[in-house]
Amino acid sequence: TVAQSQQSTRVTLPVATTNGAAVYESDLVAVHGQVLQMRKQEYEIKKKVLDGLIDRRLLDAEAARRGVSVPGLLSREVNSKVSEPSGPGVEALYLAQQERAQRPFSQVKAQMGIALRQARLAQTGQEFVNRLRQEAQVDILPDARRVRVGKDPARPPLGRE
């Protein structure tokens, strides 16, 4: 069809040349995809850091409110609520990860018990911080560094307008 031939012509025609070497739209798409991936990674890193800072401030505020240190607060609200894993719990973890363990249960029982307790501590700690977040007023503000750029009448257009 005419539309398909026009589209294939657009894809194969250069959008620019540099010293006689053509730059194609497909080249732009590849670079654009990389830029989008980098922006996504940057966003994820910033979000993780921001979440960590917010969590830390909430923990600091709660500890100050209770008149204890943050480690004391975590000891009361997290560590004291997580018991040592039982034999059946550790064995269930071993059976679920038996292929990766590649050693008899007796050799990895202590390590798996530690790993299970650490996982439970992390989960209980996250649940505690989530409760603090629900009770607090946390507002994530829009990106204040974003700048809107309008047309500059002194510059010539870069393409079709």
Side-chain angles (χ1 to χ4, degrees), residues 30-135:
V31 172
H32 181 67
Q34 291 171 350
V35 170
L36 287 178
Q37 183 63 32
M38 285 180 13
R39 285 185 181 158
K40 182 179 177 184
Q41 289 171 348
E42 178 187 23
Y43 170 80
E44 292 298 327
I45 291 167
K46 285 181 178 180
K47 183 180 182 323
K48 186 176 182 179
V49 170
L50 179 61
D51 285 342
L53 288 171
I54 290 169
D55 293 351
R56 182 64 196 196
R57 287 192 178 182
L58 291 171
L59 288 169
D60 288 342
E62 184 65 15
R65 187 181 74 77
R66 294 186 189 192
V68 298
S69 66
V70 171
L73 175 67
L74 293 175
S75 179
R76 287 183 192 170
E77 293 297 327
V78 178
N79 298 356
S80 67
K81 296 180 179 179
V82 176
S83 61
E84 290 296 325
S86 64
V90 176
E91 190 171 357
L93 176 63
Y94 172 78
L95 292 173
Q97 299 182 358
Q98 192 170 8
E99 288 181 20
R100 286 193 312 176
Q102 298 180 351
R103 294 192 326 216
F105 178 63
S106 60
Q107 291 180 1
V108 296
K109 181 179 180 180
Q111 291 171 321
M112 292 205 133
I114 292 169
L116 184 57
R117 179 162 167 73
Q118 288 174 340
R120 289 178 180 170
L121 285 169
Q123 180 180 356
T124 304
Q126 190 58 56
E127 290 168 357
F128 176 61
V129 170
N130 289 346
R131 280 195 311 275
L132 292 177
R133 274 183 178 247
Q134 288 175 350
E135 295 168 1

Side-chain angles (χ1 to χ4, degrees), residues 141-147:
L141 306 176
D143 187 359
R145 294 170 294 136
R146 190 173 297 153
V147 177

